[in-house]
Amino acid sequence: MKTSFILSAALAIHDSILNHETELESLDRAIGDGDHYINMKRGASTIVEIQAELEPLTPDAALNKIGLKLLSTIGGASGPLLASFFMGTAKVIKEKGDESVQTYAAAFAAGVDAIRQRGKADLGEKTMLDVLIPVAHQFTALAAANAGIKEICISLITTAEHGMLATKGLIATKGRAAGLGERAIGHIDPGAKSCQLMIEAVCNLFSTQ
Amino acid sequence: MKTSFILSAALAIHDSILNHETELESLDRAIGDGDHYINMKRGASTIVEIQAELEPLTPDAALNKIGLKLLSTIGGASGPLLASFFMGTAKVIKEKGDESVQTYAAAFAAGVDAIRQRGKADLGEKTMLDVLIPVAHQFTALAAANAGIKEICISLITTAEHGMLATKGLIATKGRAAGLGERAIGHIDPGAKSCQLMIEAVCNLFSTQ
Amino acid sequence: MKKFINKTDNILLESLSGFATAHSDLVSLNLDPIFLTRKQKATNKVAIISGGGSGHEPLHAGYIGYGMLDAACPGHVFTSPTPDQMLAATEAVHAGKGILFIVKNYAGDVMNFEMAAEMLPLANGLPIESATVLTSDDCAVMNSTYTTGRRGVAGTVIVEKCVGSLAETGADLPSCKALGDKVNSRTASMGVALTSCTVPAAGRPTFDIGDTELEMGVGIHGEPGRRREAMREADAIVKDVVNAILEALKPEQNSEALLLVNGFGATPLMELYLIYNTAAKLFSQHGIQISRSLVGNYTTALDMAGASITLCLLDDEIKQHWDSPVHTAALRWGK
Amino acid sequence: MKKFINKTDNILLESLSGFATAHSDLVSLNLDPIFLTRKQKATNKVAIISGGGSGHEPLHAGYIGYGMLDAACPGHVFTSPTPDQMLAATEAVHAGKGILFIVKNYAGDVMNFEMAAEMLPLANGLPIESATVLTSDDCAVMNSTYTTGRRGVAGTVIVEKCVGSLAETGADLPSCKALGDKVNSRTASMGVALTSCTVPAAGRPTFDIGDTELEMGVGIHGEPGRRREAMREADAIVKDVVNAILEALKPEQNSEALLLVNGFGATPLMELYLIYNTAAKLFSQHGIQISRSLVGNYTTALDMAGASITLCLLDDEIKQHWDSPVHTAALRWGK
Ligand SMILES: Nc1ncnc2c1ncn2[C@@H]1O[C@H](COP(=O)(O)OP(=O)(O)O)[C@@H](O)[C@H]1O
Ligand SMILES: Nc1ncnc2c1ncn2[C@@H]1O[C@H](COP(=O)(O)OP(=O)(O)O)[C@@H](O)[C@H]1O
Ligand SMILES: [Mg+2]
Ligand SMILES: [Mg+2]
Ligand SMILES: [Mg+2]
Ligand SMILES: [Mg+2]
């Protein structure tokens, strides 16, 4: 992975988030406090703004800086979680140093694991992890099977979408919606939605490179 | 005037006020603080409630008691003004002691004068006095000319109505609407309206006795 | 109308009972007629009595206590109290040095307090002395053609605080009245409404106002103000209010002042402080030194969203009495 | 949305600047990162730092000062602050005896404060010690199947007051944390919304609610509560809230308690006292002796119309720390 790809990905994420303002906002209004879109937008815009600072960095340093920047910019629940993701990812990229699909999959899985530890949450709790964990598994499996980038991207987009949609049927046991009990059922988790959008944006970018 | 007539008049006034809830309320909402109906209703209801206490009293004592009761019940601007009216009326009735139309006219004029002094207001200031002063003049004039009760009643109802309607074109220089300047124009003064209603109610009662 | 009430007829009594229970260390509630006094009757001082229509809480009962009021007479919502309340309160709190009534300048309040003052009972064979300070700080209403004078609004709190402090020193009735009149004459306020209030007994908003409108110069009963305007950004609104106040007070350069930003009941503190921020900057640009501040809901209009700005020009005497200890439900310091 | 704001992006900074100016005798505002501290840094005590999303004013900055907080870290509206704020606040206020973070139990707040605690700098070569009190007084959310625990709401004020008082005596970090945990465990709250709040950046109400509905158990960010209900008279609403609190705390007969009736931002004081009146009666019917009270806007939800009731079971220690002097913008007595 080149730092330039990270920057393009950040732009793609930014655009996708901003294109889904209404949806993200109303999801968090329904079962949260309505700020998820604003939080994500603030984070995404900040990363776009510091492009010049990121450009000269190595990919791992850029990812780590993105994590730190998100940590001090987003706030809320999504801030420390997404920050942990990028910092977790950066560690693996730094260690492995190569540009193999296996490394990317391992880095992604490490990022998801960092979220899991920070949030003390797991699959089925109606959070972003319901998108991220299945995607990490699928990514790891496909990479191990030496699948092609295109195939992986198409598959991860679908997995993310399934995970996102599946949150609709769940009761939340973590995050703000955990107070809702049965009333959370029928609503997609906002963090799951924004993660699905981000994965989709990056996969689309990857498969057109 | 018999005390029993005073009691019937109080009932007639009560009913007329309650029948004009929407109108009185919206007039005071437009150029005041919206409570004139509630104030008038509270006053009228209280007098109806103390009928048993009033019944054994002489007419002047009954009028005076009504004044005092209104004073401690209505509050706002209309409370002390209407209270002053009844106490002013009572004084003349007590002094003169007879049941002539001239006495009634003098009593009414004295009541209006008490309002004038209490409120430091006069004709043309967009208050209840724009109804009361013309009615007092007309009453005095007709009584002096020995007009019949029926004729007087019909005339006073018309005078009151004219006075009430005339407030529509005025700028207020007394009371709560005095803050409004030009914006008060086009609205009937709520106190003028309630006084017109009370005069109409009592005149109708008088002319059917 | 959605409000935490049971029957509209009982709202006042239930609310006052709650107030008296919550502050039972400070105040006593009398029923029939309704008035509130300090728990501990003060002695050998001018007794300060205020009152007015309810719906402006914490005004006035919230200001009963050491360094401020001796008694308060609450009327029905937005309706001035009746003379029997003032007379009973007088009997309860007069302490040998006369009564000072602090009355907001509204026809109804003025007349009811006036009638009370005319009917004051004897004490030791002599009629109890009284004087009245009429507050009239609302500069929204321009005073040119009208004879009733300006309305009394949030500046009343400053008058009550300063006079209450002076009375505590044992000062006589004319001195207390003089200080009250002075504070009032050096104080100007103006309010802005974003929404109407709803009088519980009426059950619907006192005035209609669109989603993109504001009422500039609104009264604390929802009376219309100077004009209906298009909603604008806070800085522009505050600028107009500040200018109206400057025009009313015409303060000298380097005047020292107290700045009160008052919420009408439904305005978040976050917005009040934002208003304060702009107002303080504008006043200091006009050479006024803001050395005392108060921000919060001090003279409300039920559930109206809106705020007023009050400027009081200080001198050493006013400053001393503003700073002195006060211990009431709504204002407390130094004790 | 009608609010006194300029640009939604600036609302926080402008409001905090106003706050810091109005209370320049009490607090200092730091920018980049944003945090507020006492004007006079305290020495030789556990430093108490709180924080959370903005929109709950006066929480938390209004509680900075003697006897309460040393610093507060405000996040964006309804969004928890970020660790860099807590770290900078720590550097500014730590005074040799460690840091106690008081954090309302929300995933975002918990995680951001947790990350801050993990990153605390060294002081004199040793990492600064810290502990955290998580407040979780909102009994609206029943705790059965969920693992995140109850939310922290208005009871946080009581925790901050008591812990702040103890810290002022020079008590050590474990003692301060222990008192905070104890107060929290003896405190339960529940809120009711009549209208939604509107987050300025969103520009429209967080939830839709009909003219004849209420939200029972609403969160202080407008999160849905236990259930949507038909609007009823105040006594019936209060009864349900009181019962939920009693069920959560299961107080012994003759327990002594503090009763806090908290407005969410747009509820008139008149209604809050009416709620207090009913709540106090109901609690005493259940054998609880209300000996301390607080009524007003202490933990708000922007411009939401609604209120919460909080009961804190007192013991001698809690009572002593509640009563002790406090001097902050929003809570002040004994000084
Ligand atoms: N413990 C957790 N683990 C994983 N994800 C979480 C956790 N708590 C919350 N989230 C995610 O965060 C999202 C909410 O983010 P956001 O609205 O930005 O923060 P907040 O809830 O503080 O307002 C939720 O939709 C959920 O996906
Ligand atoms: N100084 C005055 N002299 C005569 N009438 C007055 C005066 N001030 C007010 N009024 C009358 O009182 C009416 C308002 O009464 P009301 O609404 O009951 O009291 P308030 O204005 O105190 O709310 C006005 O419509 C006007 O007719
Ligand atoms: Mg959110
Ligand atoms: Mg009126
Ligand atoms: Mg009135
Ligand atoms: Mg949030």
Side-chain angles (χ1 to χ4, degrees):
Chain A
M1 185 161 15
K2 305 266 180 302
T3 299
S4 63
F5 179 78
I6 297 174
L7 298 185
S8 313
L11 252 176
I13 287 175
H14 171 267
D15 293 349
S16 176
I17 294 292
L18 267 69
N19 279 332
H20 292 80
E21 166 165 1
T22 320
E23 186 171 2
L24 288 174
E25 200 180 283
S26 52
L27 289 179
D28 199 35
R29 231 206 319 266
I31 57 167
D33 58 351
D35 63 354
H36 186 62
Y37 169 72
I38 307 163
N39 293 345
M40 293 303 296
K41 179 186 164 189
R42 192 166 54 242
S45 306
T46 306
I47 303 309
V48 170
E49 277 162 27
I50 61 163
Q51 293 252 4
E53 276 173 66
L54 296 171
E55 230 162 7
L57 302 180
T58 57
D60 63 282
L63 288 167
N64 202 58
K65 186 163 194 119
I66 288 175
L68 280 167
K69 195 73 195 179
L70 292 179
L71 184 62
S72 64
T73 309
I74 300 188
S78 42
L81 293 172
L82 295 176
S84 300
F85 175 86
F86 285 99
M87 293 189 285
T89 309
K91 242 182 249 164
V92 174
I93 298 282
K94 185 173 186 179
E95 275 165 30
K96 307 240 164 153
D98 65 288
E99 295 196 8
S100 68
V101 173
Q102 288 75 13
T103 293
Y104 297 164
F108 188 88
V112 172
D113 221 55
I115 291 185
R116 210 169 181 161
Q117 279 170 39
R118 177 57 60 198
K120 302 190 182 73
D122 216 320
L123 203 66
E125 304 210 70
K126 198 176 184 109
T127 72
M128 54 175 73
L129 286 170
D130 291 324
V131 166
L132 295 172
I133 292 176
V135 168
H137 284 162
Q138 179 75 351
F139 198 176
T140 308
L142 291 173
N146 279 315
I149 277 285
K150 269 241 156 79
E151 185 193 339
I152 292 178
C153 284
I154 290 167
S155 167
L156 296 190
I157 288 177
T158 314
T159 308
E161 196 153 335
H162 283 158
M164 177 271 288
L165 289 172
T167 62
K168 202 164 174 174
L170 297 173
I171 285 183
T173 48
K174 284 281 152 43
R176 205 174 285 278
L180 284 181
E182 307 278 323
R183 288 175 74 182
I185 292 177
H187 300 276
I188 291 166
D189 174 67
K193 178 69 200 176
S194 57
C195 282
Q196 176 260 317
L197 287 173
M198 292 191 283
I199 288 163
E200 183 186 57
V202 178
C203 284
N204 281 335
L205 191 71
F206 232 120
S207 53
T208 60
Q209 297 268 300
Chain B
M1 185 161 15
K2 304 267 180 299
T3 298
S4 65
F5 179 79
I6 296 175
L7 298 185
S8 314
L11 251 176
I13 285 175
H14 172 266
D15 293 350
S16 175
I17 295 292
L18 268 68
N19 280 332
H20 292 80
E21 166 165 0
T22 320
E23 186 171 2
L24 288 174
E25 200 180 283
S26 51
L27 289 179
D28 199 35
R29 230 205 320 267
I31 57 168
D33 59 350
D35 63 354
H36 186 62
Y37 169 73
I38 306 162
N39 293 344
M40 293 302 295
K41 179 186 165 189
R42 192 167 53 243
S45 306
T46 306
I47 303 309
V48 169
E49 277 162 27
I50 61 163
Q51 293 253 4
E53 277 174 65
L54 295 171
E55 229 162 8
L57 302 181
T58 57
D60 64 281
L63 288 167
N64 202 57
K65 187 163 193 118
I66 287 174
L68 280 167
K69 195 73 195 177
L70 292 178
L71 185 61
S72 65
T73 309
I74 300 187
S78 42
L81 293 173
L82 295 175
S84 300
F85 174 87
F86 284 99
M87 294 189 285
T89 309
K91 242 182 249 164
V92 174
I93 299 282
K94 186 172 186 179
E95 276 165 29
K96 306 241 163 151
D98 64 288
E99 296 195 8
S100 68
V101 173
Q102 287 76 13
T103 294
Y104 297 164
F108 188 88
V112 172
D113 220 54
I115 291 186
R116 210 170 182 160
Q117 278 171 40
R118 177 56 61 198
K120 302 188 182 73
D122 217 319
L123 204 65
E125 304 210 70
K126 197 176 183 108
T127 71
M128 54 174 73
L129 286 170
D130 292 323
V131 166
L132 295 172
I133 292 176
V135 168
H137 284 161
Q138 180 74 352
F139 198 176
T140 308
L142 291 174
N146 279 317
I149 277 284
K150 269 241 155 79
E151 184 193 341
I152 293 179
C153 284
I154 290 167
S155 166
L156 296 191
I157 289 176
T158 315
T159 307
E161 196 152 335
H162 283 158
M164 177 270 289
L165 290 172
T167 62
K168 201 166 175 175
L170 297 174
I171 285 183
T173 48
K174 285 280 151 44
R176 204 173 286 277
L180 283 182
E182 307 279 322
R183 288 175 73 181
I185 293 178
H187 300 276
I188 291 166
D189 175 67
K193 178 69 201 176
S194 57
C195 283
Q196 175 260 317
L197 287 173
M198 292 191 283
I199 288 163
E200 182 186 57
V202 177
C203 284
N204 281 334
L205 190 72
F206 233 120
S207 54
T208 59
Q209 296 268 301
Chain C
M1 175 186 63
K2 279 200 287 186
K3 288 176 185 286
F4 292 103
I5 55 175
N6 295 301
K7 296 206 172 61
T8 49
D9 281 353
N10 301 344
I11 180 169
L12 189 61
L13 219 62
E14 291 176 8
S15 178
L16 288 173
S17 301
F19 177 80
T21 312
H23 303 289
S24 60
D25 52 328
L26 273 179
V27 300
S28 299
L29 170 63
N30 187 80
L31 303 174
D32 205 10
I34 294 175
F35 64 91
L36 300 99
T37 63
R38 297 189 194 182
K39 189 83 184 179
Q40 297 284 348
K41 184 183 164 166
T43 50
N44 202 32
K45 69 182 278 291
V46 172
I48 316 286
I49 300 181
S50 189
S54 291
H56 307 300
E57 292 69 25
L59 197 78
H60 296 274
Y63 302 125
I64 295 173
Y66 179 84
M68 228 162 152
L69 303 181
D70 292 278
C73 303
H76 289 272
V77 173
F78 289 179
T79 301
S80 82
T82 54
D84 53 316
Q85 296 174 260
M86 283 70 103
L87 294 175
T90 297
E91 298 241 32
V93 301
H94 81 91
K97 302 196 74 162
I99 303 284
L100 186 70
F101 294 117
I102 299 182
V103 181
K104 299 188 295 304
N105 188 32
Y106 293 93
D109 294 80
V110 170
M111 290 188 282
N112 281 286
F113 273 90
E114 214 171 68
M115 290 189 82
E118 291 166 11
M119 296 158 85
L120 283 188
L122 303 185
N124 309 320
L126 289 169
I128 296 176
E129 257 194 309
S130 78
T132 300
V133 172
L134 280 186
T135 64
S136 55
D137 53 309
D138 189 352
C139 63
V141 174
M142 283 157 292
N143 214 356
S144 48
T145 47
Y146 318 120
T147 51
T148 46
R150 308 191 315 195
R151 306 176 292 209
V153 289
T156 309
V157 176
I158 307 170
V159 172
E160 292 181 357
K161 168 69 183 81
C162 293
V163 171
S165 162
L166 178 60
E168 223 62 69
T169 68
D172 64 12
L173 187 56
S175 311
C176 289
K177 168 161 169 64
L179 178 63
D181 288 339
K182 179 170 87 173
V183 173
N184 181 59
S185 73
R186 298 169 68 100
T187 301
S189 303
M190 193 157 107
V192 180
L194 304 188
T195 69
S196 173
C197 46
T198 297
V199 176
R204 55 187 185 122
T206 302
F207 57 91
D208 296 321
I209 183 162
D211 274 352
T212 56
E213 291 180 323
L214 62 85
E215 180 70 28
M216 176 63 71
V218 73
I220 56 172
H221 310 89
E223 301 98 328
R226 285 191 172 189
R227 55 183 176 270
R228 183 64 55 96
E229 291 181 357
M231 182 65 192
R232 287 167 297 151
E233 56 176 30
D235 282 357
I237 300 169
V238 171
K239 193 175 176 185
D240 283 358
V241 176
V242 164
N243 284 340
I245 291 171
L246 288 170
E247 204 170 299
L249 287 178
K250 302 204 179 13
E252 286 168 25
Q253 277 290 314
N254 299 317
S255 297
E256 196 179 341
L258 183 166
L259 173 54
L260 160 58
V261 174
N262 171 59
F264 282 149
T267 304
L269 209 45
M270 184 183 241
E271 294 175 42
L272 296 182
Y273 278 117
L274 190 148
I275 291 171
Y276 177 94
N277 188 49
T278 306
K281 272 188 200 141
L282 291 173
F283 280 125
S284 61
Q285 279 167 21
H286 283 88
I288 296 181
Q289 184 203 335
I290 305 294
S291 70
R292 300 290 184 280
S293 300
L294 193 67
V295 181
N297 293 325
Y298 291 100
T299 302
T300 59
L302 292 170
D303 53 355
M304 193 191 279
S308 63
I309 298 176
T310 299
L311 193 78
C312 169
L313 299 175
L314 300 170
D315 62 13
D316 287 346
E317 187 189 21
I318 299 175
K319 211 156 53 175
Q320 172 203 334
H321 290 299
W322 177 256
D323 289 343
S324 67
V326 61
H327 184 175
T328 69
L331 219 56
R332 182 169 180 183
W333 53 73
K335 265 219 150 188
Chain D
M1 176 186 63
K2 279 200 288 183
K3 288 177 185 286
F4 292 104
I5 56 175
N6 296 301
K7 295 206 174 60
T8 49
D9 280 353
N10 302 342
I11 180 169
L12 188 62
L13 218 63
E14 291 176 8
S15 178
L16 288 173
S17 300
F19 177 80
T21 312
H23 304 289
S24 60
D25 53 327
L26 273 179
V27 301
S28 299
L29 170 64
N30 187 80
L31 304 174
D32 204 11
I34 295 175
F35 64 90
L36 300 99
T37 62
R38 298 191 193 180
K39 189 85 184 177
Q40 297 284 347
K41 184 184 164 166
T43 51
N44 202 33
K45 69 181 279 290
V46 171
I48 316 284
I49 300 181
S50 189
S54 291
H56 307 302
E57 291 70 24
L59 196 77
H60 297 274
Y63 302 124
I64 295 172
Y66 180 84
M68 226 161 154
L69 304 180
D70 291 278
C73 303
H76 289 272
V77 173
F78 288 179
T79 301
S80 82
T82 54
D84 53 317
Q85 296 173 261
M86 283 70 104
L87 294 175
T90 296
E91 298 240 32
V93 301
H94 81 91
K97 302 196 73 165
I99 304 285
L100 186 70
F101 294 117
I102 300 182
V103 181
K104 300 190 295 304
N105 188 32
Y106 292 93
D109 294 79
V110 171
M111 291 188 281
N112 281 285
F113 272 90
E114 215 170 67
M115 289 188 84
E118 292 167 10
M119 296 159 85
L120 282 188
L122 304 185
N124 308 321
L126 289 169
I128 296 176
E129 256 194 309
S130 78
T132 300
V133 172
L134 280 186
T135 64
S136 56
D137 52 310
D138 189 351
C139 64
V141 175
M142 284 158 291
N143 214 356
S144 49
T145 47
Y146 318 119
T147 51
T148 47
R150 307 191 315 196
R151 306 176 291 209
V153 290
T156 309
V157 176
I158 307 170
V159 173
E160 292 182 357
K161 168 70 183 81
C162 293
V163 171
S165 162
L166 177 60
E168 222 63 67
T169 68
D172 64 12
L173 187 57
S175 311
C176 289
K177 169 161 169 64
L179 177 63
D181 287 340
K182 178 170 87 173
V183 173
N184 180 59
S185 72
R186 297 169 68 99
T187 302
S189 304
M190 192 156 107
V192 180
L194 303 188
T195 69
S196 173
C197 46
T198 297
V199 176
R204 55 187 186 122
T206 302
F207 57 91
D208 297 320
I209 183 163
D211 274 351
T212 57
E213 291 180 322
L214 63 84
E215 179 71 28
M216 177 63 72
V218 73
I220 56 171
H221 310 88
E223 301 99 328
R226 286 191 170 189
R227 54 184 176 269
R228 184 63 56 95
E229 291 180 356
M231 182 64 192
R232 287 166 296 152
E233 56 176 30
D235 281 357
I237 300 169
V238 171
K239 194 174 176 185
D240 282 359
V241 176
V242 164
N243 285 341
I245 291 171
L246 288 170
E247 204 170 298
L249 287 179
K250 302 205 177 17
E252 286 169 24
Q253 278 289 314
N254 299 317
S255 297
E256 196 178 342
L258 183 167
L259 174 54
L260 160 58
V261 174
N262 172 59
F264 282 148
T267 304
L269 210 44
M270 185 181 241
E271 295 175 42
L272 296 182
Y273 278 117
L274 190 148
I275 291 171
Y276 178 93
N277 189 47
T278 305
K281 273 189 198 140
L282 291 173
F283 280 124
S284 61
Q285 278 167 22
H286 283 88
I288 296 182
Q289 184 203 335
I290 304 294
S291 70
R292 300 290 184 281
S293 301
L294 194 66
V295 181
N297 293 325
Y298 291 100
T299 302
T300 58
L302 292 170
D303 53 354
M304 193 191 279
S308 62
I309 299 176
T310 299
L311 194 78
C312 169
L313 299 175
L314 300 170
D315 62 13
D316 287 345
E317 188 190 20
I318 300 176
K319 212 157 51 176
Q320 171 203 334
H321 290 299
W322 178 256
D323 289 343
S324 67
V326 60
H327 184 174
T328 70
L331 220 55
R332 182 169 180 183
W333 55 72
K335 265 221 149 187

